Amino acid sequence: MVAQLGVISFSSCHLFHSSRQFSFPLHNPMAMATLSTDPVREWILTEGKATQITGISPVGGGCINLASRYNSDAGSFFVKTNRRIGPEMFEGEALGLSAMYDTKSIRVPKPFKVGAFPTGGSYIIMEFIEFGSSRGDQSILGRKLAEMHKAAKSENGFGFHVNNTIGSTPQINTWTSDWIEFYAEHRLTFQLKLAQQQYGDSAIYERGQRLVKNIAALFEDVTIEPCLLHGDLWSGNIAADKNGKPVILDPACYYGHNEAEFGMSWCAGFGGSFYKAYFEVMPKQPGFEKRRDLYLLYHYLNHYNLFGSGYRSSAMSIIDDYIRILKA
């Protein structure tokens, strides 16, 4: 999730490491005094198998949560905290990371612990991945992403075990047996209603509903399986480890049509080698090009709802083009 116009990133990624370090070894009286009131330290020094925390450095890149690297004699941990909300958002993130991790396909940070602070707020502790200097090979990224989509299918239909967030917008993941119904109701209509409520934008809502009622025509002769999706795959959520292997993070996971994964492609930088490698594992289905903008629309609408009118014209242009093509 990125606001290009406002230069705002919703990705709490491990990209920018500060040089400030604070040491709190286990025998330090301050560490002992705060251990019982700081569940992050407590986990690292117990279940994390550390005997001392050797340094804490802030990690930049996000504006929803605070992110830090905790160094210890048992290794490093990546910690995100939010003092304003309960653990539900991080629980959704952890479930998504775990689901992707379990596919043993593309690398993701392994989540360790989600919890609440005694004084309010919440945290998530996960594996710290040291990133390399580049984003890695796009063909490897395409192949690994396709392997994840192929490996993880849901028997419950389309949706996810919990609702989660796309940026800071709620993302409804109620299990639904039909993809067209799911995408129409829980993705497009949800965002259209939000635009109407926030901005009084009845025009985009009414025209959007005309499109929603006619999208089935875009899915003729298509087999749609509920694949595990990252859900928010833009350049800020894609990296490579020190060995050049692709890493994806900060997900908004759900099970959906694999093509929906490309909905943020307008700021992901996917090139020809990415798509070639992807479709060698997950073959392109008839009408892929016709549906591409339909999946962009969800994210343009979300950016409109998050960041304002700078994204309205892109969303409305897609809606109007489809209304014309589908004679809706």
Side-chain angles (χ1 to χ4, degrees):
M1 177 54 51
V2 59
Q4 290 182 316
L5 299 183
V7 196
I8 298 172
S9 165
F10 273 91
S11 170
S12 297
C13 29
H14 325 173
L15 297 178
F16 309 106
H17 295 184
S18 168
S19 60
R20 287 192 298 131
Q21 297 259 331
F22 309 95
S23 272
F24 297 100
L26 185 57
H27 61 268
N28 187 315
M30 183 166 65
M32 294 299 290
T34 59
L35 180 59
S36 61
T37 59
D38 187 343
V40 172
R41 295 180 189 281
E42 184 175 2
W43 186 91
I44 291 173
L45 294 170
T46 54
E47 294 182 60
K49 297 180 170 54
T51 61
Q52 67 175 13
I53 295 171
T54 58
I56 304 171
S57 55
V59 178
C63 63
I64 295 179
N65 308 301
L66 294 177
S68 303
R69 175 180 181 171
Y70 280 63
N71 293 324
S72 78
D73 57 354
S76 295
F77 301 89
F78 182 67
V79 179
K80 291 199 291 190
T81 62
N82 191 310
R83 294 287 180 171
R84 300 182 304 277
I85 62 172
E88 293 81 7
M89 182 179 71
F90 289 143
E91 287 169 353
E93 179 176 356
L95 284 170
L97 287 170
S98 293
M100 293 191 297
Y101 186 89
D102 289 345
T103 67
K104 297 179 173 59
S105 53
I106 194 165
R107 189 172 185 189
V108 299
K110 182 179 182 180
F112 296 127
K113 176 69 175 177
V114 172
F117 289 111
T119 55
S122 55
Y123 64 90
I124 181 172
I125 306 171
M126 66 183 81
E127 172 190 10
F128 185 89
I129 298 176
E130 195 77 56
F131 290 163
S133 58
S134 72
R135 289 182 60 205
D137 188 318
Q138 284 222 347
S139 63
I140 298 175
L141 173 64
R143 185 179 76 251
K144 289 294 185 180
L145 184 66
E147 288 173 358
M148 184 183 83
H149 290 166
K150 194 170 186 176
K153 305 290 175 63
S154 168
E155 297 179 354
N156 298 317
F158 302 95
F160 200 55
H161 312 290
V162 297
N163 295 332
N164 48 27
T165 57
I166 180 80
S168 60
T169 307
Q171 183 167 257
I172 307 304
N173 294 317
T174 305
W175 291 114
T176 308
S177 60
D178 181 76
W179 168 249
I180 297 172
E181 178 186 344
F182 177 88
Y183 192 71
E185 180 63 27
H186 300 309
R187 294 297 180 262
L188 297 183
T189 296
F190 181 88
Q191 293 284 349
L192 291 165
K193 285 180 178 177
L194 195 57
Q196 186 182 45
Q197 292 163 4
Q198 284 195 137
Y199 306 122
D201 195 340
S202 57
I204 200 167
Y205 175 79
E206 291 168 2
R207 295 186 71 77
Q209 283 299 295
R210 285 174 59 185
L211 167 59
V212 164
K213 292 173 183 176
N214 290 274
I215 63 173
L218 298 170
F219 292 90
E220 293 176 357
D221 303 318
V222 178
T223 301
I224 305 173
E225 294 183 293
C227 302
L228 179 63
L229 307 181
H230 174 282
D232 191 14
L233 202 60
W234 66 285
S235 59
N237 290 342
I238 302 168
D241 65 18
K242 291 192 298 183
N243 298 317
K245 294 181 179 179
V247 181
I248 56 176
L249 55 149
D250 288 343
C253 284
Y254 65 100
Y255 290 89
H257 187 199
N258 66 300
E259 293 175 11
E261 192 77 282
F262 309 131
M264 283 290 289
S265 60
W266 48 279
C267 56
F270 298 144
S273 62
F274 168 87
Y275 287 107
K276 182 177 183 294
Y278 180 89
F279 289 128
E280 285 175 355
V281 179
M282 292 284 287
K284 184 189 295 188
Q285 296 211 51
F288 169 78
E289 287 78 11
K290 291 192 302 182
R291 292 183 295 274
R292 186 192 294 262
D293 284 356
L294 187 71
Y295 292 132
L296 301 184
L297 178 59
Y298 171 57
H299 295 277
Y300 276 123
L301 286 170
N302 187 45
H303 277 62
Y304 174 35
N305 284 317
L306 285 172
F307 308 121
S309 60
Y311 292 95
R312 184 184 186 275
S313 61
S314 296
M316 187 64 97
S317 176
I318 291 173
I319 291 170
D320 286 341
D321 283 347
Y322 274 121
I323 287 176
R324 176 179 51 80
I325 292 167
L326 298 172
K327 298 180 172 58

